[in-house]
Amino acid sequence: GPVLQLYGAGDKAGAVDAWMRGVGGQSYRASLDRALPGAFDQAVADADTFFGQELPAVRQWSFTREDAIRIKQPVLAVLGAKSKEVSPVFGKRQELLLAWLPKVEAFILPDATHLLHVQNPRAMAAGLATFFARHPLSTSR
């Protein structure tokens, strides 16, 4: 609500900042600037696309238990170890995925919020490599 109010009032930088604080915590900017210089300014430049197109589409999307049980491929449910400090929603979403998906594995990424690979790219890459080593991608249909 408050983020969309900022955006609606024309404060794109404020809306992006508020959104990112809700996703990555109060100190998100240091991680973002270190990993992706200029990313904040680009996000502000792209705010119309994100807040006008992408976010409304995501808010309309539905994912049910029935949808989840149809997924037969192995799934890695990643949670940043510090995500719960930002919002308990992230942990609840992972718990839901762990309960609903038939072939799911939990992975807690150390030293990261929901910015995951931005904050801890090496550990994220190692986690993915380990997962894909156990579950190689198949070219057969």
Side-chain angles (χ1 to χ4, degrees):
V3 172
L4 294 177
Q5 289 173 352
L6 287 168
Y7 174 73
D11 184 359
K12 294 177 185 181
V16 169
D17 181 64
W19 178 268
M20 291 302 298
R21 286 179 192 279
V23 171
Q26 296 300 314
S27 60
Y28 79 91
R29 189 78 185 261
S31 299
L32 196 63
D33 289 343
R34 183 175 51 255
L36 302 163
F40 181 82
D41 293 335
Q42 186 63 53
V44 172
D46 294 338
D48 290 334
T49 300
F50 179 73
F51 290 109
Q53 302 295 321
E54 294 171 0
L55 187 57
V58 169
R59 293 176 78 188
Q60 290 177 0
W61 183 62
S62 162
F63 185 70
T64 66
R65 179 185 299 268
E66 290 74 29
D67 295 325
I69 61 174
R70 291 195 325 256
I71 298 173
K72 303 302 180 201
Q73 296 79 9
V75 174
L76 187 64
V78 181
L79 178 68
K82 296 181 179 181
S83 291
K84 292 179 185 178
E85 297 170 15
V86 176
S87 172
V89 169
F90 296 116
K92 290 177 183 178
R93 286 180 183 159
Q94 189 193 42
E95 289 170 14
L96 190 71
L97 292 173
L98 294 174
W100 284 4
L101 292 163
K103 293 182 181 178
V104 63
E105 298 176 25
F107 178 66
I108 306 296
L109 181 63
D111 301 318
T113 63
H114 196 59
L115 294 179
L116 302 171
H117 59 283
V118 170
Q119 292 173 318
N120 196 346
R122 288 188 190 277
M124 186 71 249
L128 288 170
T130 300
F131 177 78
F132 288 124
R134 283 193 309 276
H135 308 285
L137 296 175
S138 173
T139 57
S140 64
R141 297 187 187 251

